[in-house]
Amino acid sequence: MWGFLKRPVVVTADINLSLVALTGMGLLSRLWRLTYPRAVVFDEVYYGQYISFYMKQIFFLDDSGPPFGHMVLALGGYLGGFDGNFLWNRIGAENALITQSRLMLLESVLIFFNLLAVLSYLKFFNCQKHSPFSLSWWFWLTLTGVACSCAVGIKYMGVFTYVLVLGVAAVHAWHLIGDQTLSNVCVFCHLLARAVALLVIPVVLYLLFFYVHLILVFRSGPHDQIMSSAFQASLEGGLARITQGQPLEVAFGSQVTLRNVFGKPVPCWLHSHQDTYPMIYENGRGSSHQQQVTCYPFKDVNNWWIVKDPRRHQLVVSSPPRPVRHGDMVQLVHGMTTRSLNTHDVAAPLSPHSQEVSCYIDYNISMPAQNLWRLEIVNRGSDTDVWKSILSEVRFVHVNTSAVLKLSGAHLPDWGYRQLEIVGEKLSRGYHGSTVWNVEEHRYGASQEQRERERELHSPAQVDVTRNLSFMARFSELQWRMLALRSDDSEHKYSSSPLEWVTLDTNIAYWLHPRTSAQIHLLGNIVIWVSGSLALAIYALLSLWYLLRRRRNVHDLPQDAWLRWVLAGALCAGGWAVNYLPFFLMEKTLFLYHYLPALTFQILLLPVVLQHISDHLCRSQLQRSVFSALVVAWYSSACHVSNTLRPLTYGDKSLSPHELKALRWKDSWDILIRKH
Amino acid sequence: MPPATGGGLAESELRPRRGRCGPQAARAAGRDVAAEAVARSPKRPAWGSRRFEAAGWWALLALVTLLSFATRFHRLDEPPHICWDETHFGKMGSYYINRTFFFDVHPPLGKMLIGLAGYLSGYDGTFLFQKPGDKYEHHSYMGMRGFCAFLGSWLVPFAYLTVLDLSKSLSAALLTAALLTFDTGCLTLSQYILLDPILMFFIMAAMLSMVKYNSCADRPFSAPWWFWLSLTGVSLAGALGVKFVGLFIILQVGLNTIADLWYLFGDLSLSLVTVGKHLTARVLCLIVLPLALYTATFAVHFMVLSKSGPGDGFFSSAFQARLSGNNLHNASIPEHLAYGSVITVKNLRMAIGYLHSHRHLYPEGIGARQQQVTTYLHKDYNNLWIIKKHNTNSDPLDPSFPVEFVRHGDIIRLEHKETSRNLHSHYHEAPMTRKHYQVTGYGINGTGDSNDFWRIEVVNRKFGNRIKVLRSRIRFIHLVTGCVLGSSGKVLPKWGWEQLEVTCTPYLKETLNSIWNVEDHINPKLPNISLDVLQPSFPEILLESHMVMIRGNSGLKPKDNEFTSKPWHWPINYQGLRFSGVNDTDFRVYLLGNPVVWWLNLLSIALYLLSGSIIAVAMQRGARLPAEVAGLSQVLLRGGGQVLLGWTLHYFPFFLMGRVLYFHHYFPAMLFSSMLTGILWDTLLRLCAWGLASWPLARGIHVAGILSLLLGTAYSFYLFHPLAYGMVGPLAQDPQSPMAGLRWLDSWDF
């Protein structure tokens, strides 16, 4: 922690002995007994799992952030000889920064790159003053961009710091534009260099992370289902094994499975089975009593449908195959029951505003079959309008009622086996994924007889061609799904709200020794947290005071000291603000460790404020000495607190319940005390 | 271009505060234009023309206003049935007339005004406003529609005057006025009983008075200065009083005021006392005055709605005691909870209801097969519970026992009065919420097991205190598992009669879901006290109603499998809203912006950003601009900048909102966007004309450009006007339709 504390001083003093000493201390405090505990701690359970996936090169999807962070960890694990066969599913049950950085979680890596970005920008800014376009100028500029993209690549939170650096760079660039001693060409070169380093390089690097990620994980894995059929088909194994080599163009007579593109609440396929809708629902409404059509989240022989030409009777593909095109009229015949997909003006079971969709049974009553559907290919190219398996996204528009086949998202009750409800949406308003379908498995039907056809439906599809998605298509889909993925479980024992972070009203228990009461907590050094917040408040008040006085033409500070004060504030206070305030707008589950990046910036501000008070506000020598004494006293109290909380940071000592109670300084801290 | 205009612009520096005030500014602007006219005519009547100019200026304003009123009031009575959200806001107007209490997520001013308009125009509040499409028949609805249309009509003159003041150019103002007059969206939205015309009226009034007062800055503390400043405050209160969207215009005025004060503060010729006076004036007019007015609207709201109505259940027990007709009104009940009392227990979170149980079991497979415990919003015998000691089953109401009060920290048992089962929890998973425990009714005639014991705690009070009816916020902690009784707010399926789930949560988080209060209280052994002493004070009511509104707003979450409007759809006019009618036989009204206007606006924003940054960079590089160009760029950067800020503030916050969004949320932003278009094209055309000054017809470019834009807009209105005034006959894909060929985007459905 002290390493962070003194870094701004180091920035100005360049390399000196204290840097080495501080780094040593920082490393020591973090690496000390790093191998302890030998059990899985908290979120390591997730990240560890992901790393195993890398080792086995299996595709996975995580909503917490882009892949770079995982890869860094994987690389570490790889170098450390970790073979990916350890099962990461047991949880063995400032101090906060030490705790966080000792364990294998992403925050410490993120903080490292955040600080690296700010540091290298400062270095670059110093170079700008005396030697623009020098080698070190280029080095630090590029490093800023690289660090930014690494930070974003680890967790999306890194975006906040990136935005901050961009903002500061933009302000400096604006000053540069105003500098009339420079020629237009020179200004243009400056701007170009910044644009390349701070915009182009991060974007390229970010894409590169994904490129490597997708190259590394080319096998199918547990998260396949979330992705589109096309994406899944591009992975080795899984769906690709089935779809590889199936015919591309859907023709009349094709046998297909239809997957809903939206895939919420679960990915599923259009399905039907022998059972009919109950004559009367529980609420007294009636149904058509025809065969149920549902959406089913598992592979099943009842998911097969045959695309039939309404003008002909045959259910096989003619030779040569006649492809189905955008705007064609089709009938969809359920493979196992040979009944065709139908909708009519009967209210759907759970969504009474929409039409019921059924497989038509002729009861010989005045309810004719309405089984004609017009095919609309949503993503048809300008050159071709043929229905392609996997690639084409299609809608089925009912010819008689112009209702659209839709997944309503509701689960049917027991009579529908809790499968998902399918409806005909009459008022379809614009594009929505729940009305769009794509062919997943596909083959040309050849059997004339129903018995043979059933056998054919049960057999796996044949093999002949492969198709691959371009990198950009895969990237954009993956990116989109990552951003759109929401975890629904919004409650956790240790979740907390942003307001609790500043006052350290919360903690996270990471690990408890299986037998003794040794435990590891994410818990801050309260002296540091309070003084960090205090420094921020002092900084804000002093800045406001100076600003108002300057406006009235009273200059308390010399110009260069003022500029330094502003820059330090913009980076540190700004860094705190951009890493903290956005959490108030987020609706996901938040934990204390989300605050750590903001905290590091706050701590950076501390020495700035201290230095400033001693340099500019202490008038006499006496005041200065008193102030230094206070700083020393504060410092030692921080050390003392750090030492007292040490057992909770390292988890190396088993404390008695009494001692633990004594450590519970705030009622809201959740320290685990074993009952004996 | 006549030198008068450019020179005038350069001279005035166009800092808003250096401009001229009120009618003077008007005359000045008029003079510029008249000077143009004069330059064309050979004669120069030097003196007499001034009055003529003023008359022309007023005539133009009158024309704009008249056109706006004419378009808005044309066919106002069509269709004579409820359209879209009229079903809500008309109904709420009726509630005011009938004085029954209701709940809505918006502040009350807009609905109060609608109610007032209805009342004054002879509407008696008897129409039910049940669903869109219901015919009004003999009920008088034109008063309410007329009132909304009246306010909606003022948008155009307001925008006209604002742009005129910002750009000092009649042609820019005219262009803006035309865009808004001929926009089918603004027109449709102004013609029905909705909150939006009222909201937009106040937003534009605030913007106009802010601009006006900025241009009075050279004469601070004069009468017009005070007038416009306080008018800004009044309009802000109005905007916020209609919808919370009014916060955005408050933000804009706030930013403007801070910049203004910052400028004054840096002016060393002003003493600190003067600056202090400025500050005080603004605090008075822009903070104190609006807050007072806003509070006053709520005071009127609570005063008018004095009868019990459909909104009662959303509010706390103490609140309900105010409403006549509610069973808590004028009631008197024992104040402190004692053993043997029969009580109802209400969850403190809005719209959760009372702790409830009934003779139905949890179905097979869902926890233990014991009696269901739910929460229920309506008053019912099954909400009654008896509070008993945990260890004895003797009847505490036996007159031989002394009264024993329940105290904070006591261990109690809650027995359901109708079924005699105890409130019970155990280590079974709750029906809907994972990781929570199931809560059931258990035991026979009050005899159960130790899982029926709960510790009753008062939030933030000391142990041993008595528990007050209505006022005490209490928690029930299950003794064995240590979990807290709460309601998740999730609706149970059919088997639970669609009541809300009750769980016992192991997470000891302070949320309202797990805090309850005692509402009804029956204990014959205790003296009753009147509830009037418990009635909340006005600030408490105000705070509570705001909490309820905010929670109501955030509770409007979009459903996953439904098509929802996204903020990026709006500026491109991606999809409209059906106000009335679906089939080809219906009278159809479709809320959709005039695509020509909207796409022009979109293009203008891009053009503005481009030209604005070119000019800004050129100025930062210290380029020497000719006086005229400098003047025009000032208009573009300052006037345009203010309007652009307005657009940004009224548009981008929607991207951060989690609630359900609709197309009509964009309309305040669209007003700003149209003003930007007016300023931008006028300035660009003038710059163009200046650039080609050597060319003989240069000046004509400006006139021709503005004229063609005006005519183009008018023609597009001619094409699209059926959207607003109503269409009958086949849908647009049919060649027979009146709208055939006009469905330019597939996503429009009319």
Side-chain angles (χ1 to χ4, degrees):
Chain A
M1 190 171 301
W2 314 115
F4 293 127
L5 196 67
K6 285 291 157 77
R7 197 162 292 171
V9 184
V10 173
V11 170
T12 46
D14 260 312
I15 302 162
N16 57 18
L17 277 178
S18 73
L19 174 66
V20 180
L22 286 170
T23 316
M25 252 176 76
L27 279 178
L28 188 69
S29 71
R30 277 155 181 74
L31 295 180
W32 188 61
R33 304 196 61 181
L34 187 57
T35 52
Y36 182 85
R38 292 188 163 276
V40 185
V41 173
F42 199 60
D43 273 359
E44 282 193 350
V45 75
Y46 299 113
Y47 294 122
Q49 244 170 20
Y50 294 141
I51 293 161
S52 316
F53 285 138
Y54 271 115
M55 292 302 159
K56 298 175 188 161
Q57 306 190 324
I58 292 173
F59 175 75
F60 66 92
L61 183 70
D62 173 28
D63 60 333
S64 71
F68 180 63
H70 304 329
M71 291 198 289
V72 170
L73 293 183
L75 193 67
Y78 185 67
L79 295 177
F82 167 63
D83 64 356
N85 285 326
F86 182 70
L87 288 175
W88 296 82
N89 49 10
R90 289 173 292 143
I91 284 197
E94 211 282 17
N95 306 51
L97 288 168
I98 299 181
T99 312
Q100 194 72 16
S101 56
R102 277 164 50 85
L103 303 173
M104 201 161 77
L105 303 175
L106 290 180
E107 258 65 25
S108 49
V109 192
L110 172 67
I111 293 174
F112 170 76
F113 282 113
N114 275 349
L115 291 180
L116 183 64
V118 172
L119 172 73
S120 44
Y121 186 78
L122 280 176
K123 284 278 187 190
F124 157 75
F125 185 65
N126 283 338
C127 290
Q128 169 75 27
K129 280 182 200 148
H130 44 83
S131 54
F133 298 110
S134 65
L135 199 62
S136 63
W137 186 91
W138 277 112
F139 172 74
W140 290 115
L141 180 60
T142 325
L143 191 61
T144 312
V146 171
C148 282
S149 69
C150 291
V152 178
I154 285 163
K155 273 204 150 194
Y156 285 120
M157 259 185 86
V159 170
F160 301 141
T161 308
Y162 182 40
V163 167
L164 176 78
V165 171
L166 276 188
V168 174
V171 170
H172 287 157
W174 185 248
H175 291 157
L176 205 68
I177 293 176
D179 184 354
Q180 278 149 39
T181 56
L182 299 173
S183 70
N184 283 344
V185 177
C186 177
V187 168
F188 181 74
C189 292
H190 268 292
L191 294 183
L192 193 68
R194 280 169 176 75
V196 168
L198 299 181
L199 295 173
V200 177
I201 290 186
V203 169
V204 170
L205 266 182
Y206 187 72
L207 288 178
L208 193 70
F209 295 151
F210 271 87
Y211 190 72
V212 175
H213 173 75
L214 286 172
I215 285 183
L216 281 180
V217 291
F218 55 84
R219 298 196 183 120
S220 77
H223 297 137
D224 277 13
Q225 288 282 306
I226 303 168
M227 309 305 288
S228 70
S229 306
F231 192 96
Q232 289 182 41
S234 69
L235 295 173
E236 189 178 283
L239 183 68
R241 200 177 304 150
I242 302 167
T243 58
Q244 210 176 39
Q246 62 189 24
L248 182 65
E249 296 183 349
V250 177
F252 287 109
S254 278
Q255 299 172 352
V256 295
T257 62
L258 290 164
R259 184 185 198 262
N260 190 274
V261 167
F262 192 52
K264 279 182 191 162
V266 282
C268 59
W269 292 271
L270 191 69
H271 179 97
S272 182
H273 41 233
Q274 287 282 356
D275 302 76
T276 56
Y277 288 109
M279 192 87 83
I280 303 285
Y281 296 122
E282 284 165 11
N283 57 9
R285 279 194 292 116
S287 82
S288 67
H289 198 50
Q290 294 184 352
Q291 180 169 313
Q292 293 174 17
V293 172
T294 66
C295 200
Y296 187 54
F298 301 98
K299 304 238 166 179
D300 188 271
V301 67
N302 271 323
N303 297 348
W304 284 95
W305 299 81
I306 301 167
V307 182
K308 178 176 168 291
D309 186 346
R311 289 160 297 178
R312 303 192 189 190
H313 280 292
Q314 65 198 25
L315 289 177
V316 293
V317 175
S318 55
S319 166
R322 291 179 307 121
V324 187
R325 294 173 192 278
H326 175 73
D328 278 355
M329 216 93 86
V330 297
Q331 284 172 325
L332 287 176
V333 178
H334 186 238
M336 298 302 287
T337 59
T338 59
R339 298 200 165 114
S340 52
L341 191 75
N342 179 69
T343 181
H344 40 219
D345 193 14
V346 173
L350 300 177
S351 318
H353 297 293
S354 308
Q355 291 187 162
E356 178 193 272
V357 174
S358 63
C359 272
Y360 185 73
I361 304 174
D362 193 358
Y363 288 123
N364 239 341
I365 49 172
S366 58
M367 190 178 260
Q370 301 185 4
N371 52 19
L372 290 181
W373 300 84
R374 198 177 58 250
L375 181 81
E376 277 185 10
I377 301 176
V378 179
N379 60 347
R380 61 186 183 277
S382 49
D383 47 338
T384 167
D385 56 354
V386 176
W387 186 7
K388 294 177 187 148
S389 68
I390 293 185
L391 301 175
S392 291
E393 300 185 341
V394 301
R395 308 202 314 162
F396 296 97
V397 184
H398 192 235
V399 172
N400 299 67
T401 60
S402 60
V404 182
L405 192 70
K406 177 186 166 176
L407 169 68
S408 80
H411 283 271
L412 294 171
D414 289 336
W415 54 257
Y417 306 101
R418 308 211 161 266
Q419 296 172 5
L420 291 123
E421 183 197 38
I422 293 287
V423 300
E425 171 85 11
K426 273 183 290 191
L427 297 175
S428 158
R429 319 166 84 257
Y431 174 90
H432 192 272
S434 61
T435 61
V436 183
W437 303 81
N438 70 286
V439 168
E440 194 163 282
E441 291 174 68
H442 173 221
R443 68 181 147 228
Y444 286 157
S447 327
Q448 298 282 359
E449 290 302 312
Q450 174 63 15
R451 187 60 56 77
E452 268 177 72
R453 201 177 300 125
E454 280 178 21
R455 207 162 37 242
E456 193 176 46
L457 290 172
H458 277 290
S459 65
Q462 67 274 37
V463 176
D464 55 285
V465 244
T466 59
R467 54 187 80 89
N468 271 320
L469 278 182
S470 71
F471 165 69
M472 281 317 279
R474 282 161 51 116
F475 164 74
S476 54
E477 180 180 346
L478 187 59
Q479 181 71 72
W480 188 244
R481 301 265 167 172
M482 279 166 97
L483 290 176
L485 197 67
R486 297 246 176 282
S487 46
D488 40 43
D489 203 1
S490 61
E491 209 173 4
H492 191 284
K493 187 157 186 227
Y494 292 108
S495 65
S496 49
S497 74
L499 272 183
E500 294 171 319
W501 298 342
V502 182
T503 49
L504 192 62
D505 275 339
T506 171
N507 67 323
I508 303 177
Y510 272 175
W511 174 77
L512 177 67
H513 193 278
R515 285 176 309 281
T516 70
S517 60
Q519 47 194 309
I520 295 183
H521 284 266
L522 178 66
L523 189 61
N525 182 333
I526 192 135
V527 173
I528 306 269
W529 289 50
V530 167
S531 37
S533 310
L534 216 60
L536 190 71
I538 292 175
Y539 180 85
L541 287 177
L542 273 179
S543 303
L544 190 67
W545 174 247
Y546 288 145
L547 212 58
L548 288 176
R549 306 242 310 164
R550 284 175 70 84
R551 189 76 188 153
R552 293 302 285 186
N553 236 346
V554 186
H555 293 267
D556 299 296
L557 297 181
Q559 186 63 17
D560 62 326
W562 167 249
L563 286 180
R564 245 184 294 130
W565 172 253
V566 169
L567 182 64
L571 284 175
C572 303
W576 174 80
V578 294
N579 279 296
Y580 176 54
L581 300 180
F583 284 109
F584 284 99
L585 297 173
M586 289 187 193
E587 287 174 355
K588 63 177 200 169
T589 320
L590 297 175
F591 293 97
L592 181 62
Y593 59 72
H594 285 125
Y595 184 58
L596 295 180
L599 180 74
T600 40
F601 281 104
Q602 210 182 31
I603 293 174
L604 287 185
L605 194 60
L606 202 56
V608 175
V609 172
L610 289 182
Q611 188 74 37
H612 180 81
I613 292 177
S614 107
D615 284 358
H616 295 280
L617 296 185
C618 296
R619 297 285 151 82
S620 66
Q621 192 55 44
L622 179 68
Q623 281 178 346
R624 211 158 290 167
S625 330
V626 171
F627 183 72
S628 312
L630 283 177
V631 170
V632 171
W634 163 80
Y635 189 87
S636 38
S637 72
C639 289
H640 174 69
V641 170
S642 171
N643 198 40
T644 320
L645 292 178
R646 205 176 50 106
L648 297 180
T649 310
Y650 294 105
D652 55 348
K653 215 160 80 184
S654 174
L655 295 178
S656 69
H658 184 69
E659 284 172 309
L660 285 174
K661 265 194 194 119
L663 280 181
R664 195 176 163 198
W665 294 339
K666 284 198 172 193
D667 288 343
S668 50
W669 286 3
D670 201 352
I671 289 177
L672 309 170
I673 300 174
R674 281 182 186 280
K675 288 182 196 160
H676 286 294
Chain B
M1 167 172 298
T5 317
L9 289 170
E11 187 181 71
S12 71
E13 287 181 49
L14 265 148
R15 220 179 275 129
R17 64 186 45 78
R18 290 286 167 82
R20 292 162 220 134
C21 207
Q24 279 177 320
R27 230 170 290 134
R31 197 190 308 139
D32 292 346
V33 175
E36 256 181 276
V38 166
R40 264 181 254 129
S41 67
K43 281 183 272 174
R44 287 187 160 230
W47 199 88
S49 71
R50 176 135 336 155
R51 281 174 71 186
F52 175 72
E53 287 160 25
W57 186 86
W58 283 109
L60 213 53
L61 178 61
L63 177 77
V64 165
T65 316
L66 200 69
L67 200 62
S68 168
F69 271 83
T71 46
R72 266 68 182 163
F73 277 86
H74 178 63
R75 301 189 69 179
L76 186 62
D77 52 339
E78 286 284 324
H81 57 242
I82 302 177
C83 290
W84 195 53
D85 271 0
E86 282 190 338
T87 171
H88 299 304
F89 301 119
K91 195 190 292 163
M92 290 168 188
S94 313
Y95 284 139
Y96 279 104
I97 296 176
N98 299 324
R99 309 191 62 173
T100 45
F101 189 76
F102 69 96
F103 161 72
D104 185 38
V105 295
H106 305 300
L109 180 64
K111 288 152 302 190
M112 255 161 31
L113 290 175
I114 291 174
L116 182 69
Y119 181 70
L120 294 179
S121 63
Y123 167 62
D124 54 3
T126 49
F127 187 62
L128 289 179
F129 282 100
Q130 268 181 334
K131 61 175 192 302
D134 287 0
K135 292 260 183 293
Y136 284 114
E137 287 164 355
H138 64 277
H139 295 280
S140 149
Y141 64 98
M142 280 301 285
M144 292 185 274
R145 273 200 190 162
F147 171 72
C148 289
F150 176 77
L151 293 189
S153 306
W154 281 109
L155 295 181
V156 180
F158 284 180
Y160 173 85
L161 290 173
T162 308
V163 172
L164 188 58
D165 212 86
L166 285 176
S167 69
K168 308 277 180 256
S169 155
L170 269 180
S171 43
L174 269 180
L175 182 56
T176 304
L179 290 175
L180 290 180
T181 312
F182 295 133
D183 178 50
T184 47
C186 278
L187 174 55
T188 315
L189 209 58
S190 302
Q191 284 200 310
Y192 299 93
I193 308 171
L194 301 173
L195 295 185
D196 302 78
I198 312 177
L199 172 72
M200 292 198 288
F201 171 83
F202 283 119
I203 289 179
M204 285 308 285
M207 182 73 191
L208 174 64
S209 26
M210 183 187 92
V211 168
K212 283 284 186 194
Y213 125 85
N214 275 343
S215 59
C216 287
D218 56 339
R219 297 190 297 151
F221 308 111
S222 62
W225 187 88
W226 278 111
F227 173 74
W228 289 117
L229 186 61
S230 40
L231 199 60
T232 314
V234 173
S235 319
L236 289 184
L240 188 65
V242 177
K243 273 190 180 188
F244 285 129
V245 173
L247 278 174
F248 303 146
I249 186 75
I250 292 184
L251 203 58
Q252 174 157 31
V253 172
L255 288 176
N256 178 68
T257 310
I258 289 171
D260 194 23
L261 284 173
W262 187 245
Y263 170 81
L264 290 172
F265 190 70
D267 185 351
L268 293 180
S269 67
L270 296 178
S271 72
L272 278 178
V273 179
T274 322
V275 175
K277 273 194 208 162
H278 273 283
L279 179 67
T280 323
R282 282 163 181 78
V283 169
L284 273 181
C285 292
L286 298 179
I287 297 177
V288 178
L289 178 68
L291 270 184
L293 286 176
Y294 180 72
T295 323
T297 59
F298 272 87
V300 174
H301 168 76
F302 292 127
M303 229 140 59
V304 172
L305 301 181
S306 58
K307 295 185 200 160
S308 159
D312 293 13
F314 289 95
F315 288 82
S316 67
S317 319
F319 187 97
Q320 295 177 30
R322 297 176 48 258
L323 303 168
S324 72
N326 189 293
N327 61 345
L328 291 172
H329 186 66
N330 278 339
S332 57
I333 51 174
E335 189 180 8
H336 295 287
L337 208 59
Y339 287 103
S341 294
V342 177
I343 55 172
T344 58
V345 183
K346 187 173 198 291
N347 195 285
L348 273 195
R349 220 183 105 187
M350 178 194 83
I352 295 283
Y354 303 94
L355 190 67
H356 178 100
S357 185
H358 41 227
R359 285 190 195 280
H360 294 275
L361 305 184
Y362 284 103
E364 199 87 50
I366 294 176
R369 229 176 121 69
Q370 296 171 3
Q371 183 166 308
Q372 296 173 14
V373 173
T374 63
T375 56
Y376 187 50
L377 264 174
H378 300 273
K379 308 201 168 180
D380 183 289
Y381 281 117
N382 274 325
N383 300 342
L384 293 176
W385 298 81
I386 309 173
I387 187 160
K388 293 202 167 167
K389 288 200 149 189
H390 72 284
N391 44 9
T392 60
N393 209 14
S394 60
D395 180 15
L397 291 183
D398 188 334
S400 57
F401 289 105
V403 173
E404 193 174 347
F405 288 108
V406 181
R407 290 170 192 276
H408 174 37
D410 278 6
I411 299 189
I412 57 145
R413 192 154 57 78
L414 274 182
E415 185 178 313
H416 190 236
K417 187 159 183 285
E418 293 295 304
T419 61
S420 298
R421 299 211 191 269
N422 291 328
L423 189 72
H424 178 100
S425 182
H426 45 213
Y427 289 112
H428 283 272
E429 195 167 74
M432 317 280 289
T433 313
R434 285 173 51 211
K435 297 184 192 167
H436 287 201
Y437 303 133
Q438 186 193 28
V439 176
T440 65
Y442 181 74
I444 296 168
N445 287 333
T447 317
D449 62 12
S450 63
N451 271 333
D452 302 348
F453 300 158
W454 301 81
R455 192 168 66 242
I456 186 166
E457 287 188 359
V458 184
V459 179
N460 298 332
R461 286 286 179 279
K462 287 208 188 83
F463 278 100
N465 282 0
R466 291 180 190 178
I467 293 166
K468 287 183 186 164
V469 171
L470 295 177
R471 284 297 181 83
S472 290
R473 298 148 60 91
I474 54 185
R475 280 195 303 192
F476 296 96
I477 295 171
H478 191 239
L479 208 60
V480 175
T481 58
C483 60
V484 186
L485 184 76
S487 172
S488 64
K490 294 177 188 162
V491 181
L492 292 173
K494 283 274 162 40
W495 55 257
W497 308 96
E498 294 177 351
Q499 296 170 1
L500 306 181
E501 182 198 39
V502 167
T503 66
C504 196
T505 158
Y507 307 121
L508 307 175
K509 284 270 154 58
E510 285 273 326
T511 65
L512 283 184
N513 294 49
S514 54
I515 299 180
W516 308 78
N517 73 346
V518 176
E519 188 167 297
D520 299 297
H521 182 205
I522 306 162
N523 192 328
K525 288 165 82 178
L526 289 175
N528 286 352
I529 59 147
S530 166
L531 271 184
D532 292 342
V533 296
L534 302 178
Q535 274 200 12
S537 60
F538 178 70
E540 283 172 318
I541 305 179
L542 192 66
L543 189 69
E544 179 178 350
S545 55
H546 276 84
M547 298 305 288
V548 171
M549 277 190 287
I550 289 167
R551 222 169 282 129
N553 255 318
S554 55
L556 299 171
K557 285 269 157 30
K559 289 190 190 119
D560 247 1
N561 284 36
E562 293 301 320
F563 175 86
T564 46
S565 188
K566 301 272 167 29
W568 64 264
H569 291 167
W570 303 339
I572 53 177
N573 208 14
Y574 178 74
Q575 193 166 43
L577 271 171
R578 279 211 184 92
F579 263 43
S580 156
V582 179
N583 297 325
D584 44 1
T585 50
D586 296 340
F587 182 89
R588 298 187 308 271
V589 176
Y590 189 69
L591 174 73
L592 184 73
N594 181 338
V596 175
V597 173
W598 284 51
W599 293 342
L600 182 69
N601 282 346
L602 199 61
L603 174 74
S604 306
I605 289 169
L607 263 182
Y608 178 82
L609 291 178
L610 187 70
S611 54
S613 35
I614 290 175
I615 293 175
V617 168
M619 283 167 52
Q620 179 78 0
R621 286 298 294 160
R624 298 224 158 275
L625 301 177
E628 277 136 275
V629 179
L632 287 172
S633 359
Q634 285 297 327
V635 169
L636 204 61
L637 290 185
R638 287 183 189 279
Q642 254 187 8
V643 182
L644 184 75
L645 177 70
W647 178 76
T648 320
L649 286 176
H650 284 86
Y651 178 46
F652 287 102
F654 286 103
F655 282 93
L656 299 174
M657 287 189 197
R659 61 163 277 172
V660 179
L661 297 173
Y662 297 101
F663 176 54
H664 70 275
H665 289 154
Y666 182 68
F667 278 84
M670 184 269 170
L671 298 176
F672 286 97
S673 168
S674 302
M675 292 198 268
L676 185 66
T677 310
I679 295 177
L680 176 87
W681 285 95
D682 178 62
T683 315
L684 282 191
L685 285 168
R686 278 175 199 271
L687 279 175
C688 225
W690 176 85
L692 300 170
S694 53
W695 197 45
L697 288 177
R699 250 197 15 193
I701 290 184
H702 176 242
V703 178
I706 294 289
L707 263 184
S708 54
L709 282 171
L710 287 180
L711 292 177
T713 326
Y715 179 68
S716 67
F717 177 65
Y718 166 74
L719 287 179
F720 284 97
H721 76 272
L723 288 179
Y725 291 138
M727 319 162 258
V728 259
L731 298 172
Q733 55 264 42
D734 193 320
Q736 304 297 316
S737 160
M739 300 305 289
L742 291 175
R743 200 175 156 194
W744 295 346
L745 287 185
D746 278 347
S747 48
W748 300 345
D749 30 21
F750 50 79

